[in-house]
Short mmCIF file of all heavy atoms in Angstrom, two decimals:
data_model
loop_
_atom_site.label_atom_id
_atom_site.label_comp_id
_atom_site.label_asym_id
_atom_site.label_seq_id
_atom_site.Cartn_x
_atom_site.Cartn_y
_atom_site.Cartn_z
N MET Q 11 -38.25 -30.73 2.04
CA MET Q 11 -36.86 -30.64 1.87
C MET Q 11 -36.59 -29.73 0.66
O MET Q 11 -37.13 -29.82 -0.39
CB MET Q 11 -36.38 -32.02 1.58
CG MET Q 11 -34.80 -32.08 1.48
SD MET Q 11 -34.25 -33.78 1.73
CE MET Q 11 -33.40 -34.01 0.21
N SER Q 12 -35.67 -28.77 0.94
CA SER Q 12 -35.41 -27.75 -0.16
C SER Q 12 -34.15 -28.26 -0.82
O SER Q 12 -33.25 -28.82 -0.30
CB SER Q 12 -35.24 -26.41 0.40
OG SER Q 12 -34.16 -26.34 1.18
N VAL Q 13 -34.13 -27.90 -2.13
CA VAL Q 13 -32.94 -28.21 -2.98
C VAL Q 13 -32.30 -26.90 -3.32
O VAL Q 13 -33.00 -25.97 -3.70
CB VAL Q 13 -33.39 -29.01 -4.18
CG1 VAL Q 13 -32.22 -29.23 -5.16
CG2 VAL Q 13 -34.17 -30.25 -3.85
N ALA Q 14 -30.99 -26.84 -3.15
CA ALA Q 14 -30.22 -25.65 -3.54
C ALA Q 14 -30.27 -25.43 -5.03
O ALA Q 14 -30.07 -26.31 -5.81
CB ALA Q 14 -28.83 -25.78 -3.06
N LYS Q 15 -30.45 -24.17 -5.40
CA LYS Q 15 -30.47 -23.83 -6.83
C LYS Q 15 -29.01 -23.71 -7.27
O LYS Q 15 -28.12 -23.25 -6.59
CB LYS Q 15 -31.21 -22.53 -6.97
CG LYS Q 15 -32.67 -22.53 -6.68
CD LYS Q 15 -33.25 -21.24 -6.87
CE LYS Q 15 -34.72 -21.16 -6.50
NZ LYS Q 15 -35.35 -19.92 -6.68
N PRO Q 16 -28.85 -24.00 -8.55
CA PRO Q 16 -27.55 -23.68 -9.16
C PRO Q 16 -27.25 -22.22 -9.18
O PRO Q 16 -28.10 -21.43 -9.02
CB PRO Q 16 -27.62 -24.22 -10.52
CG PRO Q 16 -28.82 -25.19 -10.57
CD PRO Q 16 -29.70 -24.66 -9.46
N LEU Q 17 -25.94 -21.77 -9.21
CA LEU Q 17 -25.58 -20.44 -9.19
C LEU Q 17 -26.19 -19.65 -10.33
O LEU Q 17 -26.46 -18.44 -10.26
CB LEU Q 17 -24.07 -20.28 -9.23
CG LEU Q 17 -23.36 -20.77 -7.97
CD1 LEU Q 17 -21.86 -20.56 -8.19
CD2 LEU Q 17 -23.85 -19.96 -6.76
N GLU Q 18 -26.44 -20.24 -11.57
CA GLU Q 18 -27.04 -19.56 -12.59
C GLU Q 18 -28.54 -19.13 -12.38
O GLU Q 18 -29.03 -18.14 -12.94
CB GLU Q 18 -27.00 -20.39 -13.91
CG GLU Q 18 -25.68 -20.77 -14.37
CD GLU Q 18 -25.02 -21.91 -13.63
OE1 GLU Q 18 -25.76 -22.81 -13.11
OE2 GLU Q 18 -23.80 -21.99 -13.42
N GLN Q 19 -29.23 -19.81 -11.52
CA GLN Q 19 -30.59 -19.39 -11.22
C GLN Q 19 -30.79 -18.52 -10.13
O GLN Q 19 -31.90 -18.05 -9.86
CB GLN Q 19 -31.40 -20.72 -10.96
CG GLN Q 19 -31.44 -21.74 -12.13
CD GLN Q 19 -32.22 -22.98 -11.84
OE1 GLN Q 19 -32.60 -23.14 -10.67
NE2 GLN Q 19 -32.28 -23.80 -12.84
N LEU Q 20 -29.75 -18.14 -9.39
CA LEU Q 20 -29.90 -17.18 -8.28
C LEU Q 20 -30.12 -15.76 -8.84
O LEU Q 20 -29.47 -15.40 -9.82
CB LEU Q 20 -28.61 -17.27 -7.35
CG LEU Q 20 -28.53 -18.51 -6.50
CD1 LEU Q 20 -27.20 -18.48 -5.75
CD2 LEU Q 20 -29.68 -18.70 -5.68
N PRO Q 21 -30.85 -14.94 -8.17
CA PRO Q 21 -31.08 -13.56 -8.61
C PRO Q 21 -29.77 -12.79 -8.44
O PRO Q 21 -28.95 -13.09 -7.58
CB PRO Q 21 -32.17 -13.03 -7.74
CG PRO Q 21 -32.13 -13.86 -6.51
CD PRO Q 21 -31.63 -15.20 -6.99
N ASN Q 22 -29.58 -11.73 -9.32
CA ASN Q 22 -28.43 -10.98 -9.17
C ASN Q 22 -28.51 -10.04 -7.95
O ASN Q 22 -29.22 -9.00 -8.06
CB ASN Q 22 -28.16 -10.11 -10.47
CG ASN Q 22 -27.89 -10.99 -11.73
OD1 ASN Q 22 -27.20 -12.02 -11.46
ND2 ASN Q 22 -28.25 -10.62 -12.83
N THR Q 23 -27.82 -10.31 -6.91
CA THR Q 23 -27.90 -9.48 -5.69
C THR Q 23 -26.49 -9.00 -5.51
O THR Q 23 -25.49 -9.71 -5.59
CB THR Q 23 -28.30 -10.25 -4.52
OG1 THR Q 23 -27.51 -11.36 -4.33
CG2 THR Q 23 -29.76 -10.69 -4.68
N PRO Q 24 -26.37 -7.71 -5.11
CA PRO Q 24 -25.01 -7.19 -4.87
C PRO Q 24 -24.49 -7.80 -3.59
O PRO Q 24 -25.13 -8.24 -2.72
CB PRO Q 24 -25.22 -5.61 -4.73
CG PRO Q 24 -26.71 -5.54 -4.28
CD PRO Q 24 -27.35 -6.72 -4.99
N ASP Q 25 -23.16 -7.80 -3.52
CA ASP Q 25 -22.53 -8.27 -2.27
C ASP Q 25 -22.86 -7.38 -1.21
O ASP Q 25 -22.83 -6.24 -1.27
CB ASP Q 25 -20.97 -8.36 -2.40
CG ASP Q 25 -20.60 -9.41 -3.48
OD1 ASP Q 25 -21.42 -10.40 -3.67
OD2 ASP Q 25 -19.53 -9.25 -4.08
N ILE Q 26 -23.19 -8.01 -0.03
CA ILE Q 26 -23.54 -7.23 1.14
C ILE Q 26 -22.25 -6.73 1.84
O ILE Q 26 -21.41 -7.51 2.14
CB ILE Q 26 -24.43 -8.00 2.14
CG1 ILE Q 26 -25.68 -8.41 1.49
CG2 ILE Q 26 -24.66 -7.22 3.38
CD1 ILE Q 26 -26.52 -9.38 2.24
N VAL Q 27 -22.03 -5.37 1.90
CA VAL Q 27 -20.87 -4.88 2.50
C VAL Q 27 -21.33 -3.96 3.58
O VAL Q 27 -22.16 -3.12 3.52
CB VAL Q 27 -20.03 -3.97 1.45
CG1 VAL Q 27 -18.88 -3.32 2.00
CG2 VAL Q 27 -19.74 -4.86 0.33
N HIS Q 28 -20.68 -4.12 4.70
CA HIS Q 28 -20.91 -3.29 5.90
C HIS Q 28 -19.72 -2.52 6.16
O HIS Q 28 -18.81 -2.81 6.84
CB HIS Q 28 -21.18 -4.22 7.19
CG HIS Q 28 -22.41 -5.12 6.96
ND1 HIS Q 28 -23.66 -4.59 7.02
CD2 HIS Q 28 -22.48 -6.39 6.78
CE1 HIS Q 28 -24.43 -5.64 6.79
NE2 HIS Q 28 -23.75 -6.72 6.66
N PRO Q 29 -19.59 -1.21 5.53
CA PRO Q 29 -18.52 -0.40 5.65
C PRO Q 29 -18.33 0.15 7.12
O PRO Q 29 -19.32 0.49 7.72
CB PRO Q 29 -18.68 0.70 4.65
CG PRO Q 29 -20.17 0.76 4.46
CD PRO Q 29 -20.65 -0.63 4.73
N VAL Q 30 -17.15 0.34 7.57
CA VAL Q 30 -16.85 1.02 8.80
C VAL Q 30 -16.75 2.49 8.51
O VAL Q 30 -16.08 2.88 7.60
CB VAL Q 30 -15.55 0.43 9.41
CG1 VAL Q 30 -15.17 1.18 10.67
CG2 VAL Q 30 -15.60 -1.00 9.58
N PRO Q 31 -17.36 3.24 9.33
CA PRO Q 31 -17.36 4.74 9.06
C PRO Q 31 -15.82 5.15 9.16
O PRO Q 31 -15.03 4.69 9.98
CB PRO Q 31 -18.08 5.32 10.26
CG PRO Q 31 -19.01 4.21 10.75
CD PRO Q 31 -18.26 2.97 10.44
N ALA Q 32 -15.46 6.13 8.27
CA ALA Q 32 -14.10 6.54 8.21
C ALA Q 32 -13.64 7.20 9.50
O ALA Q 32 -12.55 7.12 9.89
CB ALA Q 32 -14.04 7.55 7.06
N GLN Q 33 -14.55 7.91 10.19
CA GLN Q 33 -14.08 8.60 11.41
C GLN Q 33 -13.75 7.54 12.52
O GLN Q 33 -12.72 7.73 13.28
CB GLN Q 33 -15.31 9.41 12.00
CG GLN Q 33 -15.61 10.57 11.09
CD GLN Q 33 -16.79 11.41 11.47
OE1 GLN Q 33 -17.55 10.93 12.38
NE2 GLN Q 33 -16.97 12.56 10.92
N ALA Q 34 -14.47 6.47 12.70
CA ALA Q 34 -14.11 5.44 13.63
C ALA Q 34 -12.73 4.74 13.26
O ALA Q 34 -11.99 4.49 14.15
CB ALA Q 34 -15.21 4.36 13.68
N SER Q 35 -12.50 4.58 12.02
CA SER Q 35 -11.31 3.94 11.53
C SER Q 35 -10.09 4.78 11.85
O SER Q 35 -9.09 4.34 12.29
CB SER Q 35 -11.44 3.65 10.05
OG SER Q 35 -10.18 3.15 9.61
N VAL Q 36 -10.23 6.17 11.59
CA VAL Q 36 -9.22 7.07 11.84
C VAL Q 36 -8.88 7.24 13.29
O VAL Q 36 -7.75 7.26 13.76
CB VAL Q 36 -9.51 8.46 11.14
CG1 VAL Q 36 -8.45 9.51 11.61
CG2 VAL Q 36 -9.44 8.36 9.70
N ALA Q 37 -9.96 7.35 14.16
CA ALA Q 37 -9.89 7.57 15.51
C ALA Q 37 -9.21 6.31 16.16
O ALA Q 37 -8.30 6.35 17.10
CB ALA Q 37 -11.20 7.81 16.18
N SER Q 38 -9.61 5.14 15.75
CA SER Q 38 -9.02 3.86 16.28
C SER Q 38 -7.53 3.80 15.88
O SER Q 38 -6.69 3.35 16.69
CB SER Q 38 -9.79 2.66 15.94
OG SER Q 38 -9.76 2.52 14.54
N GLY Q 39 -7.24 4.18 14.69
CA GLY Q 39 -5.81 4.21 14.27
C GLY Q 39 -4.93 5.16 15.06
O GLY Q 39 -3.82 4.76 15.43
N ILE Q 40 -5.45 6.25 15.27
CA ILE Q 40 -4.73 7.32 16.10
C ILE Q 40 -4.46 6.83 17.51
O ILE Q 40 -3.40 6.88 18.08
CB ILE Q 40 -5.37 8.69 16.03
CG1 ILE Q 40 -5.26 9.24 14.56
CG2 ILE Q 40 -4.72 9.66 17.04
CD1 ILE Q 40 -6.01 10.52 14.39
N SER Q 41 -5.55 6.23 18.10
CA SER Q 41 -5.41 5.82 19.55
C SER Q 41 -4.49 4.66 19.63
O SER Q 41 -3.73 4.55 20.58
CB SER Q 41 -6.78 5.47 20.06
OG SER Q 41 -7.35 4.43 19.36
N LEU Q 42 -4.52 3.71 18.65
CA LEU Q 42 -3.53 2.66 18.69
C LEU Q 42 -2.13 3.13 18.44
O LEU Q 42 -1.16 2.56 19.08
CB LEU Q 42 -3.97 1.58 17.69
CG LEU Q 42 -5.13 0.74 18.01
CD1 LEU Q 42 -5.52 -0.19 16.80
CD2 LEU Q 42 -4.97 -0.10 19.20
N ALA Q 43 -1.96 4.11 17.65
CA ALA Q 43 -0.59 4.68 17.46
C ALA Q 43 -0.09 5.33 18.71
O ALA Q 43 1.08 5.14 19.02
CB ALA Q 43 -0.62 5.69 16.27
N VAL Q 44 -0.84 6.10 19.36
CA VAL Q 44 -0.53 6.72 20.65
C VAL Q 44 -0.21 5.67 21.62
O VAL Q 44 0.75 5.77 22.43
CB VAL Q 44 -1.64 7.71 21.09
CG1 VAL Q 44 -1.33 8.12 22.51
CG2 VAL Q 44 -1.81 8.84 20.16
N LEU Q 45 -1.03 4.60 21.77
CA LEU Q 45 -0.82 3.54 22.73
C LEU Q 45 0.57 2.92 22.42
O LEU Q 45 1.29 2.52 23.36
CB LEU Q 45 -1.89 2.50 22.71
CG LEU Q 45 -1.89 1.37 23.61
CD1 LEU Q 45 -1.93 1.91 25.07
CD2 LEU Q 45 -2.99 0.42 23.32
N ARG Q 46 0.87 2.65 21.21
CA ARG Q 46 2.15 2.07 20.80
C ARG Q 46 3.32 2.86 21.18
O ARG Q 46 4.32 2.28 21.72
CB ARG Q 46 2.13 1.67 19.29
CG ARG Q 46 3.30 0.92 18.79
CD ARG Q 46 3.12 0.49 17.36
NE ARG Q 46 4.32 -0.21 16.98
CZ ARG Q 46 4.36 -0.88 15.83
NH1 ARG Q 46 3.31 -0.85 14.95
NH2 ARG Q 46 5.46 -1.52 15.50
N VAL Q 47 3.24 4.18 20.86
CA VAL Q 47 4.36 5.06 21.22
C VAL Q 47 4.59 5.13 22.73
O VAL Q 47 5.66 5.10 23.27
CB VAL Q 47 4.15 6.39 20.60
CG1 VAL Q 47 5.10 7.37 21.12
CG2 VAL Q 47 4.27 6.32 19.12
N ALA Q 48 3.37 5.15 23.52
CA ALA Q 48 3.52 5.28 24.93
C ALA Q 48 4.12 4.03 25.57
O ALA Q 48 4.95 4.14 26.46
CB ALA Q 48 2.12 5.53 25.52
N THR Q 49 3.75 2.89 25.02
CA THR Q 49 4.32 1.63 25.52
C THR Q 49 5.80 1.53 25.22
O THR Q 49 6.59 1.13 25.97
CB THR Q 49 3.58 0.43 24.83
OG1 THR Q 49 2.22 0.50 25.16
CG2 THR Q 49 4.20 -0.82 25.34
N GLY Q 50 6.23 2.13 24.03
CA GLY Q 50 7.68 2.15 23.74
C GLY Q 50 8.39 3.04 24.69
O GLY Q 50 9.49 2.73 25.14
N PHE Q 51 7.82 4.16 25.02
CA PHE Q 51 8.46 5.08 26.02
C PHE Q 51 8.60 4.42 27.37
O PHE Q 51 9.60 4.61 28.05
CB PHE Q 51 7.75 6.43 26.07
CG PHE Q 51 8.16 7.36 24.97
CD1 PHE Q 51 7.20 7.90 24.21
CD2 PHE Q 51 9.45 7.74 24.73
CE1 PHE Q 51 7.50 8.81 23.20
CE2 PHE Q 51 9.82 8.65 23.77
CZ PHE Q 51 8.84 9.13 23.02
N ILE Q 52 7.60 3.63 27.77
CA ILE Q 52 7.68 2.96 29.11
C ILE Q 52 8.85 1.90 29.10
O ILE Q 52 9.64 1.98 30.03
CB ILE Q 52 6.29 2.27 29.38
CG1 ILE Q 52 5.25 3.26 29.63
CG2 ILE Q 52 6.49 1.23 30.53
CD1 ILE Q 52 3.81 2.71 29.76
N PHE Q 53 8.97 1.16 27.99
CA PHE Q 53 10.07 0.22 27.98
C PHE Q 53 11.38 0.93 27.83
O PHE Q 53 12.41 0.50 28.36
CB PHE Q 53 9.91 -0.80 26.85
CG PHE Q 53 8.88 -1.85 27.17
CD1 PHE Q 53 7.55 -1.79 26.66
CD2 PHE Q 53 9.18 -2.91 28.01
CE1 PHE Q 53 6.66 -2.86 27.03
CE2 PHE Q 53 8.33 -3.89 28.40
CZ PHE Q 53 7.09 -3.85 27.90
N LEU Q 54 11.44 2.04 27.03
CA LEU Q 54 12.70 2.76 26.99
C LEU Q 54 13.18 3.42 28.34
O LEU Q 54 14.28 3.35 28.63
CB LEU Q 54 12.55 3.91 25.89
CG LEU Q 54 13.76 4.82 25.73
CD1 LEU Q 54 14.92 4.05 25.13
CD2 LEU Q 54 13.34 6.00 24.80
N TRP Q 55 12.21 3.90 29.02
CA TRP Q 55 12.49 4.44 30.34
C TRP Q 55 12.99 3.42 31.30
O TRP Q 55 13.96 3.58 32.02
CB TRP Q 55 11.25 5.15 30.99
CG TRP Q 55 11.50 5.62 32.37
CD1 TRP Q 55 11.09 5.02 33.49
CD2 TRP Q 55 12.41 6.57 32.75
NE1 TRP Q 55 11.55 5.67 34.60
CE2 TRP Q 55 12.37 6.68 34.18
CE3 TRP Q 55 13.18 7.62 32.09
CZ2 TRP Q 55 13.15 7.53 34.94
CZ3 TRP Q 55 13.91 8.50 32.77
CH2 TRP Q 55 13.89 8.53 34.26
N ALA Q 56 12.38 2.20 31.29
CA ALA Q 56 12.87 1.12 32.16
C ALA Q 56 14.22 0.72 31.78
O ALA Q 56 15.07 0.44 32.60
CB ALA Q 56 11.87 0.01 32.01
N PHE Q 57 14.60 0.65 30.47
CA PHE Q 57 15.86 0.38 30.08
C PHE Q 57 16.90 1.38 30.45
O PHE Q 57 17.99 1.03 31.06
CB PHE Q 57 15.97 0.22 28.53
CG PHE Q 57 17.35 0.02 27.97
CD1 PHE Q 57 18.08 -1.09 28.05
CD2 PHE Q 57 17.96 1.18 27.28
CE1 PHE Q 57 19.40 -1.16 27.57
CE2 PHE Q 57 19.15 1.06 26.74
CZ PHE Q 57 19.88 -0.13 26.88
N LEU Q 58 16.57 2.61 30.35
CA LEU Q 58 17.53 3.73 30.68
C LEU Q 58 17.76 3.76 32.20
O LEU Q 58 18.89 3.96 32.68
CB LEU Q 58 16.99 5.07 30.24
CG LEU Q 58 17.07 5.23 28.70
CD1 LEU Q 58 16.40 6.57 28.30
CD2 LEU Q 58 18.38 5.10 28.09
N ASP Q 59 16.68 3.46 32.94
CA ASP Q 59 16.79 3.53 34.44
C ASP Q 59 17.61 2.41 34.85
O ASP Q 59 18.47 2.54 35.76
CB ASP Q 59 15.44 3.41 35.01
CG ASP Q 59 15.44 3.51 36.55
OD1 ASP Q 59 16.05 4.37 37.04
OD2 ASP Q 59 14.84 2.56 37.10
N LYS Q 60 17.53 1.22 34.31
CA LYS Q 60 18.32 0.04 34.68
C LYS Q 60 19.71 0.23 34.31
O LYS Q 60 20.69 -0.20 34.91
CB LYS Q 60 17.72 -1.19 34.03
CG LYS Q 60 18.29 -2.56 34.62
CD LYS Q 60 17.84 -2.76 36.00
CE LYS Q 60 18.31 -4.09 36.48
NZ LYS Q 60 17.90 -4.31 37.95
N THR Q 61 19.99 0.94 33.10
CA THR Q 61 21.34 0.99 32.59
C THR Q 61 22.07 2.07 33.40
O THR Q 61 23.30 1.88 33.84
CB THR Q 61 21.32 1.51 31.15
OG1 THR Q 61 20.59 0.51 30.41
CG2 THR Q 61 22.70 1.61 30.53
N PHE Q 62 21.49 3.20 33.67
CA PHE Q 62 22.23 4.39 34.28
C PHE Q 62 21.88 4.56 35.72
O PHE Q 62 22.52 5.41 36.39
CB PHE Q 62 21.94 5.61 33.49
CG PHE Q 62 22.42 5.54 32.07
CD1 PHE Q 62 21.47 5.53 31.00
CD2 PHE Q 62 23.71 5.57 31.74
CE1 PHE Q 62 21.97 5.40 29.71
CE2 PHE Q 62 24.14 5.48 30.44
CZ PHE Q 62 23.23 5.42 29.37
N GLY Q 63 20.92 3.87 36.28
CA GLY Q 63 20.46 4.06 37.63
C GLY Q 63 19.94 5.47 37.89
O GLY Q 63 20.60 6.25 38.66
N LEU Q 64 18.91 5.78 37.34
CA LEU Q 64 18.26 7.10 37.40
C LEU Q 64 17.44 7.39 38.63
O LEU Q 64 16.68 8.30 38.78
CB LEU Q 64 17.47 7.45 36.13
CG LEU Q 64 18.24 7.30 34.88
CD1 LEU Q 64 17.31 7.51 33.74
CD2 LEU Q 64 19.39 8.35 34.82
N HIS Q 65 17.54 6.45 39.66
CA HIS Q 65 16.81 6.58 40.94
C HIS Q 65 15.30 6.46 40.83
O HIS Q 65 14.61 6.86 41.70
CB HIS Q 65 17.18 7.85 41.70
CG HIS Q 65 18.64 7.89 42.13
ND1 HIS Q 65 19.16 7.05 43.00
CD2 HIS Q 65 19.67 8.66 41.56
CE1 HIS Q 65 20.45 7.36 43.16
NE2 HIS Q 65 20.76 8.27 42.26
N TYR Q 66 14.77 5.91 39.69
CA TYR Q 66 13.32 5.67 39.69
C TYR Q 66 13.04 4.38 40.41
O TYR Q 66 12.24 4.38 41.30
CB TYR Q 66 12.84 5.74 38.23
CG TYR Q 66 11.32 5.59 38.12
CD1 TYR Q 66 10.48 6.54 38.52
CD2 TYR Q 66 10.79 4.40 37.71
CE1 TYR Q 66 9.09 6.42 38.45
CE2 TYR Q 66 9.35 4.18 37.58
CZ TYR Q 66 8.54 5.25 38.04
OH TYR Q 66 7.27 5.13 37.98
N SER Q 67 13.57 3.33 39.97
CA SER Q 67 13.42 2.05 40.61
C SER Q 67 14.74 1.41 40.80
O SER Q 67 14.85 0.34 41.44
CB SER Q 67 12.44 1.13 39.88
OG SER Q 67 13.04 0.78 38.59
N THR Q 68 15.79 1.91 40.30
CA THR Q 68 17.14 1.42 40.34
C THR Q 68 18.17 2.45 40.88
O THR Q 68 18.19 3.60 40.32
CB THR Q 68 17.69 0.91 39.03
OG1 THR Q 68 16.73 -0.03 38.51
CG2 THR Q 68 18.99 0.20 39.14
N SER Q 69 18.83 2.13 41.96
CA SER Q 69 19.76 3.17 42.47
C SER Q 69 21.03 3.15 41.54
O SER Q 69 21.26 2.21 40.88
CB SER Q 69 20.15 2.75 43.89
OG SER Q 69 20.80 1.56 44.00
N THR Q 70 21.83 4.21 41.72
CA THR Q 70 22.94 4.36 40.98
C THR Q 70 23.98 3.21 41.18
O THR Q 70 24.65 2.69 40.28
CB THR Q 70 23.70 5.68 41.22
OG1 THR Q 70 22.73 6.69 40.93
CG2 THR Q 70 24.90 5.89 40.23
N ALA Q 71 24.06 2.73 42.41
CA ALA Q 71 24.97 1.63 42.80
C ALA Q 71 24.57 0.35 42.20
O ALA Q 71 25.41 -0.50 42.00
CB ALA Q 71 25.08 1.52 44.33
N LYS Q 72 23.37 0.19 41.88
CA LYS Q 72 22.88 -1.16 41.26
C LYS Q 72 22.63 -1.08 39.75
O LYS Q 72 22.10 -1.94 39.25
CB LYS Q 72 21.58 -1.53 41.96
CG LYS Q 72 21.76 -1.89 43.36
CD LYS Q 72 20.51 -2.46 44.00
CE LYS Q 72 20.71 -2.86 45.48
NZ LYS Q 72 19.46 -3.43 46.02
N SER Q 73 23.02 0.05 39.14
CA SER Q 73 22.91 0.10 37.71
C SER Q 73 23.79 -0.81 36.98
O SER Q 73 24.82 -1.37 37.52
CB SER Q 73 23.14 1.57 37.25
OG SER Q 73 24.53 1.75 37.33
N TRP Q 74 23.51 -1.10 35.75
CA TRP Q 74 24.32 -2.05 34.99
C TRP Q 74 25.74 -1.52 34.65
O TRP Q 74 26.69 -2.25 34.62
CB TRP Q 74 23.61 -2.26 33.52
CG TRP Q 74 22.41 -3.21 33.65
CD1 TRP Q 74 22.13 -4.02 34.65
CD2 TRP Q 74 21.46 -3.41 32.66
NE1 TRP Q 74 21.00 -4.68 34.28
CE2 TRP Q 74 20.48 -4.26 33.15
CE3 TRP Q 74 21.24 -2.79 31.33
CZ2 TRP Q 74 19.38 -4.68 32.36
CZ3 TRP Q 74 20.13 -3.20 30.61
CH2 TRP Q 74 19.27 -4.14 31.12
N LEU Q 75 25.81 -0.13 34.52
CA LEU Q 75 27.13 0.35 34.34
C LEU Q 75 28.07 0.27 35.52
O LEU Q 75 29.34 0.31 35.38
CB LEU Q 75 26.98 1.87 33.91
CG LEU Q 75 26.32 2.08 32.51
CD1 LEU Q 75 26.21 3.59 32.27
CD2 LEU Q 75 27.09 1.38 31.38
N ASN Q 76 27.50 0.27 36.71
CA ASN Q 76 28.35 0.16 37.96
C ASN Q 76 28.49 -1.36 38.39
O ASN Q 76 29.07 -1.49 39.42
CB ASN Q 76 27.70 0.97 39.06
CG ASN Q 76 27.91 2.50 38.83
OD1 ASN Q 76 28.79 2.93 38.17
ND2 ASN Q 76 26.98 3.29 39.34
N GLY Q 77 27.86 -2.22 37.75
CA GLY Q 77 27.96 -3.54 38.05
C GLY Q 77 27.02 -4.00 39.14
O GLY Q 77 27.07 -4.90 39.76
#
């Protein structure tokens, strides 16, 4: 059975850090930003189509502005 040593008796070891490469971080940030903007445009287009009836999935007669 082992006994844990007090903190004063442990050797001085640096904290283990596993850094993420800067290129992977930048690339993932850019791809997430593009995905976020693209998702915003999809929802914006759906809103505009439903409001004005742009004939993508909603006819002009069934738009919100025409009742």
Side-chain angles (χ1 to χ4, degrees):
M11 185 162 120
S12 65
V13 178
K15 295 180 181 179
L17 291 177
E18 295 81 31
Q19 294 178 359
L20 291 176
N22 292 331
T23 57
D25 293 333
I26 298 173
V27 178
H28 301 286
V30 176
Q33 293 174 348
S35 175
V36 171
S38 63
I40 290 172
S41 63
L42 287 175
V44 168
L45 181 65
R46 183 175 182 169
V47 170
T49 304
F51 278 125
I52 289 171
F53 282 103
L54 177 65
W55 173 255
F57 169 75
L58 292 175
D59 181 50
K60 191 71 173 176
T61 303
F62 299 110
L64 301 174
H65 296 290
Y66 183 71
S67 64
T68 306
S69 64
T70 305
K72 293 185 177 181
S73 70
W74 285 344
L75 294 179
N76 289 333

